[in-house]
Amino acid sequence: PIYSGLGMGAHTLEIVQVSGLVLIDAIYAQGLNSYPTHIDESSATLTNPSHWIDLVSPFVTGGNLKLNPGYAGDSATFNFTGTKVRVIGLKGPNFGQADIKIDGIYNSTIDLYSANYMIQTSLITASGLSPGAHTIEIIVDGTMNPLSSGYMVDVDGLDVW
C-alpha cells in the first residue's frame, strides 16, 4: 500500500507477522532524498561473462541476479548518474569478499558472509559523490571470511539517488 498525506515529521511503520513468512522487498519514504532509481544487474558490464551465473528466483529484484562462484579478478561494472549509490545483493554462509571501486579508485572491501541467507540486502552504500556520471565496479577477491564455506560474489542491482 501507499500512504500519503502524513505531513512533515517523524513517522513509525510497524509490520507485524501474524503467521507464516513475511518478505519485505523495500520500503521507500519520499522526502529530502526522494526515491532511488533502480538499475538492474543486466545493465552491468561483466569481465569473463561465462563465469557469471544467472540465478533465477522470485525473491530477488527483477527475478534474477548475477552470481560468480569466486573467480578472483572477475568484475561487474555499472555506469550511473547520481550522488549516492547502493549495491543490492545476497549475503550468505558460502559467500566471499569483493573489492569496490568507484570511478576507478579503490573504495573498500565488502564481506558477503552471513550466517543466514539475506536477500535484497545492501552490500555497500556510497554517498557524497559529486553530481554527474560515475562507475562502480564490484571485483571478486577470491577471498572469504574465515566463517564462510565459499567464495561466491553476487550483484542484484543498484539503487541510485
Side-chain angles (χ1 to χ4, degrees):
I2 297 176
Y3 300 95
S4 61
L6 297 175
M8 297 298 288
H11 300 280
T12 301
L13 172 66
E14 182 177 0
I15 299 169
V16 178
Q17 180 181 4
V18 176
S19 67
L21 179 67
V22 176
L23 295 175
I24 299 171
D25 183 27
I27 297 173
Y28 295 112
Q30 187 172 11
L32 295 176
N33 293 329
S34 70
Y35 294 101
T37 299
H38 184 76
I39 300 174
D40 199 56
E41 81 285 337
S42 61
S43 299
T45 301
L46 304 172
T47 59
N48 298 311
S50 64
H51 292 171
W52 292 86
I53 301 162
D54 282 315
L55 176 67
V56 178
S57 169
F59 300 113
V60 298
T61 305
N64 64 347
L65 59 74
K66 296 291 186 188
L67 180 69
N68 187 295
Y71 292 102
D74 284 359
S75 67
T77 303
F78 291 87
N79 297 310
F80 68 95
T81 300
T83 59
K84 179 179 176 182
V85 62
R86 176 175 55 210
V87 178
I88 306 297
L90 290 174
K91 290 184 175 185
N94 54 345
F95 281 74
Q97 297 175 329
D99 287 335
I100 302 296
K101 286 185 179 179
I102 298 175
D103 297 331
I105 299 169
Y106 173 82
N107 176 274
S108 61
T109 297
I110 58 173
D111 187 355
L112 282 69
Y113 168 79
S114 172
N116 300 303
Y117 286 101
M118 298 171 63
I119 59 173
Q120 294 186 20
T121 193
S122 175
L123 302 180
I124 185 171
T125 300
S127 59
L129 304 174
S130 62
H134 299 281
T135 60
I136 187 164
E137 185 177 12
I138 299 98
I139 306 162
V140 179
D141 262 3
T143 60
M144 65 178 180
N145 182 308
L147 299 174
S148 180
S149 63
Y151 300 93
M152 292 193 299
V153 170
D154 73 288
V155 63
D156 194 6
L158 304 181
D159 286 336
V160 178
W161 289 262

